Amino acid sequence: MSNNEEVAPLDFIRQIVANDVSEGKHQGRVVTRFPPEPNGFLHIGHAKSICLNFGVASEYPGGQCNLRFDDTNPLKEEDLYIQSIRTDVKWLGFDWQEHMYYASDYFEPLYKFAERLIEDGHAFVCELNVEQMREYRGTLTEAGKESPWRNRPMAESLDLLRRMRAGEFPEGRYTLRAKIDMASPNINMRDPVIYRILHAHHHQTAGQWCIYPTYDYAHCISDALEGITHSLCTLEFEDHRPLYDWILDRLSGVLSCHPQQIEFSRLVLEYTVVSKRKLNALVRSGAVDGWDDPRMPTISGLRRRGYTPSAIREFCRRIGISKTPNNVELSLLESCIRDDLEQHAPRAMAVLNPLKVVITTVAEEHCAELSAANHPQNPALGSRKLYWMREIIIEREDFAENPPKQFKRLVPGGEVRLRHAYVIRCDEVIKDPASGEVVELRCSHDPATLHANPSDRKVKGVIHWLPLARSCPAEIRSYETLFNTANPDEEWQGDDFTRLLNPNSLQILSASRIEEGLQNLPPGTIYQFERQGYFCVDSKYSSPGKPVFNRTVGLRDSWGKQQNKES
RNA sequence: UGGGCCGUCGCCAAGCGGUAAGGCCCCGGAUUUUGAUUCCGGUAUCCCCAGGUUCGAAUCCUGGCGGCCCAGCCA
């Protein structure tokens, strides 16, 4: 180990954990949990939490991270989401081993503890309805009023709770509330509801229960029952920590563990929304093609787009963990996937928008094999054959009759190199007489330039190409951001988000052509199409012989940037 | 004059009283059969502001200012 190796600084949570371990707190154990509610698909914000929780646990011998479904609201949850969450966490590269749990696993002990809270005078059954409870709660600046049921005899509350469980009452008739302080400046402490009646089928417990614990009540106890040492959550739960601690303190006689809740700031990514409600609205409205639409910031969307687990993990590492607002630019995410794919993606050529070129110096039936390396820096990725023929295609935008300054591609009378092949000169431009559109180029090639540069002149540009007869059609889907504003979350009002949508977020190029060897690739296969970007075989629309590629991300484009600046 | 939290480069983020790490972005330049990659070099005399303590403050104290979260029987 070299002594000049930089040691990455620990974030504030890892500092706390390291400190606790060195002090022997929790017998030196580190147990965390990732606790999603199964009411939607996981997104990039969850990835941050997953990387933190599983990451911290993995950094200690015997460290453990549980996957726990926080399933206390049967109205919003579905088994479908449980499956997708498991898939996504695994795909990201994390392993909960045998530690997969449900908050609903604890419904029985949770209920027992509730009876105990009543017995100890810490909870009561309330008859206020929703509107009344809101009135009694007070406001941010005024204290609340105590419920008239607050001091009902303990035996009566106990009886009522048992009958609530037995299903004797309709929804909303009664609630169980913690007896804390209606004058607390922290609204969460104003006698919060901890059980409500819900005559609903639960995806795990079916019809077993008709009363369900609330998040605040269930979460802390679930943590304690699992022996969690550090309960990591986002900043909006900071105000709930006093309640978390209050409940565990009342139950300290029966619970031997009191986890420490620590909050960090949630991720906000430019040009996206990261709220299940809003993602759901996008899906329902048909603005996107499902939760896994490649424009979605969901894990499944990123996967379909071509993002790799390691790129997402690297992104989470780079954004860090802190309590300051984590407003991250898209360029950071893009740089993570480029860094990964630059090393690992084999190269190939694709012509997105073809322009026919006839090489007049090549005979009609001529077909010569050329060899092209699959990666310029990594010979281990091997090489493939290319075919040199009379009729080829190039990218339309690689030819210009009236080139802008600094244009290094093909111009009338000018030369350019064809990648992995020869230098060609444009001798003639053929246009459609009616429209004036360039329909074909006639070029001659210099046979001395296959693996050598001409000694008498300098050829600056290199463009990609394909032999027309030995290329295949492909559909290429190119994406821009889903929203036309960097802060769609802020500008999102009510349910009208359509004005925020970028009309160009999906462009389908159906006249594109690819190397013939790319015709039958399995879904998810990633290539770099040289000079263009990284592309991935779509898992939904691609079929053998009819490939569909998603553009994961473009290559850095200093030329395009320069053009934009000048226009 | 409700409570909680946060303010270090355009965006993240180290820093924990000894004189501003790093990444992304950006700008130069070199190499290049991807205008990619790689490689060099540049970019905060200053840490929200104002006072104070100290030999010394982004770090401590006081007072301001700005931002975020909370009034679901959601999580």
Side-chain angles (χ1 to χ4, degrees):
Chain A
M1 188 163 297
S2 68
N3 50 10
N4 58 359
E5 207 168 283
E6 298 282 331
V7 179
L10 297 181
D11 59 66
F12 81 101
I13 289 178
R14 276 179 244 254
Q15 287 179 28
I16 292 170
V17 173
N19 202 43
D20 288 350
V21 169
S22 74
E23 284 176 0
K25 217 165 162 179
H26 312 290
Q27 295 83 241
R29 290 264 291 156
V30 175
V31 185
T32 57
R33 100 270 93 113
F34 172 60
E37 183 188 14
N39 68 342
F41 283 65
L42 260 25
H43 53 66
I44 186 76
H46 291 110
K48 177 180 179 180
S49 174
I50 292 167
C51 290
L52 208 218
N53 279 293
F54 281 93
V56 165
S58 74
E59 287 153 25
Y60 292 89
Q64 172 186 326
C65 181
N66 303 349
L67 173 62
R68 181 170 75 233
F69 292 99
D70 218 333
D71 56 349
T72 56
N73 186 355
L75 268 23
K76 294 190 173 175
E77 297 152 8
E78 284 179 45
D79 196 62
L80 158 75
Y81 297 126
I82 291 175
Q83 302 316 322
S84 80
I85 289 167
R86 296 176 54 164
T87 300
D88 289 347
V89 174
K90 265 190 229 162
W91 179 78
L92 276 173
F94 298 101
D95 182 6
W96 54 85
Q97 296 172 314
E98 70 272 36
H99 305 293
M100 189 182 91
Y101 308 113
Y102 296 85
S104 54
D105 292 343
Y106 314 127
F107 279 174
E108 193 58 47
L110 250 7
Y111 174 81
K112 286 276 155 39
F113 295 145
E115 286 200 347
R116 187 181 179 98
L117 286 180
I118 294 173
E119 287 162 359
D120 292 346
H122 297 313
F124 64 98
V125 169
C126 185
E127 297 182 30
L128 258 26
N129 63 31
V130 175
E131 298 77 49
Q132 292 169 320
M133 204 169 305
R134 185 157 43 232
E135 277 175 43
Y136 275 72
R137 188 154 33 230
T139 69
L140 293 178
T141 53
E142 300 159 39
K145 287 182 299 189
E146 294 189 346
S147 163
W149 315 102
R150 196 176 202 262
N151 294 312
R152 96 154 81 223
M154 171 259 277
E156 202 176 300
S157 280
L158 207 49
D159 175 61
L160 252 13
L161 179 65
R162 287 174 180 158
R163 291 167 59 196
M164 281 164 67
R165 176 179 182 171
E168 289 186 30
F169 311 116
E171 290 184 8
R173 178 72 183 82
Y174 294 101
T175 56
L176 180 67
R177 296 226 260 161
K179 194 187 286 188
I180 309 180
D181 178 9
M182 288 308 290
S184 171
N186 181 345
I187 291 186
N188 296 119
M189 300 298 270
R190 319 239 261 229
D191 293 4
V193 169
I194 60 177
Y195 262 98
R196 73 282 211 193
I197 299 171
L198 252 27
H199 290 283
H201 180 270
H202 188 284
H203 50 96
Q204 297 305 311
T205 60
Q208 241 182 291
W209 294 86
C210 61
I211 59 172
Y212 291 93
T214 58
Y215 163 84
D216 284 308
Y217 180 68
H219 201 92
C220 55
I221 295 175
S222 302
D223 280 349
L225 289 171
E226 291 178 14
I228 301 299
T229 57
H230 302 271
S231 180
L232 314 179
C233 61
T234 44
L235 249 27
E236 63 268 27
F237 292 101
E238 236 159 358
D239 288 344
H240 295 244
R241 180 157 28 98
L243 179 52
Y244 185 106
D245 289 331
W246 184 91
I247 293 169
L248 293 185
D249 285 343
R250 297 318 107 171
L251 262 13
S252 60
V254 283
L255 251 20
S256 56
C257 171
H258 189 139
Q260 178 183 7
Q261 175 178 308
I262 308 171
E263 311 85 9
F264 60 94
S265 56
R266 48 176 257 153
L267 169 67
V268 177
L269 223 207
E270 264 188 0
Y271 292 99
T272 69
V273 291
V274 198
S275 119
K276 282 187 201 162
R277 208 197 104 241
K278 291 173 183 170
L279 293 175
N280 217 318
L282 288 169
V283 172
R284 277 198 318 264
S285 72
V288 295
D289 179 34
W291 286 93
D292 66 345
D293 185 292
R295 293 165 293 180
M296 291 281 272
T298 49
I299 303 300
S300 51
L302 290 164
R303 176 168 57 230
R304 194 169 148 206
R305 176 81 171 252
Y307 273 79
T308 59
S310 68
I312 295 173
R313 280 188 252 116
E314 173 63 11
F315 172 72
C316 292
R317 191 191 65 74
R318 291 191 199 176
I319 62 178
I321 297 291
S322 72
K323 299 186 75 158
T324 62
N326 201 212
N327 299 313
V328 177
E329 291 175 343
L330 216 46
S331 63
L332 186 61
L333 215 212
E334 293 179 339
S335 115
C336 292
I337 187 62
R338 285 199 192 103
D339 282 0
D340 186 0
L341 266 25
E342 156 61 25
Q343 297 177 58
H344 301 112
R347 274 93 231 253
M349 292 195 285
V351 176
L352 305 197
N353 193 10
L355 173 61
K356 186 176 169 188
V357 174
V358 175
I359 311 293
T360 55
T361 43
V362 172
E364 204 82 43
E365 301 304 319
H366 184 80
C367 180
E369 285 187 2
L370 304 174
S371 173
N374 290 334
H375 193 290
Q377 276 85 235
N378 183 2
L381 289 182
S383 63
R384 83 273 184 196
K385 287 185 169 55
L386 254 26
Y387 301 93
W388 178 239
M389 302 170 76
R390 182 176 167 88
E391 292 193 344
I392 68 168
I393 50 173
I394 65 169
E395 204 69 62
R396 268 209 116 80
E397 65 170 31
D398 284 339
F399 171 76
E401 264 197 297
N402 304 298
K405 262 201 147 25
Q406 318 268 318
F407 192 73
K408 297 204 304 198
R409 285 110 99 145
L410 195 58
V411 300
E415 282 187 310
V416 78
R417 173 174 290 284
L418 296 178
R419 177 76 165 147
H420 298 301
Y422 300 92
V423 170
I424 60 168
R425 174 186 306 279
C426 175
D427 304 313
E428 194 182 349
V429 179
I430 297 175
K431 294 181 185 176
D432 174 10
S435 65
E437 188 198 6
V438 176
V439 292
E440 184 182 314
L441 262 25
R442 299 185 79 82
C443 299
S444 49
H445 83 291
D446 179 347
T449 55
L450 185 51
H451 294 295
N453 281 320
S455 51
D456 55 336
R457 65 212 134 100
K458 185 97 181 155
V459 177
K460 314 179 293 270
V462 181
I463 63 174
H464 57 276
W465 61 284
L466 246 23
L468 182 56
R470 302 206 64 169
S471 63
C472 299
E475 176 178 309
I476 292 186
R477 295 176 165 233
S478 185
Y479 303 100
E480 287 180 11
T481 55
L482 227 200
F483 295 96
N484 55 27
T485 163
N487 307 303
D489 234 318
E490 280 175 28
E491 296 179 39
W492 188 294
Q493 275 155 9
D495 282 329
D496 175 34
F497 54 85
T498 49
R499 72 196 161 81
L500 303 176
L501 292 173
N502 174 4
N504 301 318
S505 63
L506 166 64
Q507 294 139 49
I508 298 181
L509 303 167
S510 40
S512 305
R513 299 188 73 85
I514 56 177
E515 288 183 25
E516 63 180 4
L518 273 44
Q519 199 177 187
N520 293 302
L521 264 11
T525 308
I526 295 173
Y527 269 86
Q528 182 196 101
F529 291 157
E530 288 198 89
R531 303 209 308 130
Q532 299 184 122
Y534 298 97
F535 295 77
C536 151
V537 179
D538 187 67
S539 55
K540 188 163 175 179
Y541 297 118
S542 204
S543 57
K546 230 188 146 290
V548 176
F549 283 86
N550 293 315
R551 191 180 77 155
T552 308
V553 66
L555 256 27
R556 269 194 194 86
D557 181 14
S558 54
W559 169 244
K561 221 171 275 169
Q562 187 182 326
Q563 294 296 289
N564 284 336
K565 250 183 273 175
E566 284 165 14
S567 64

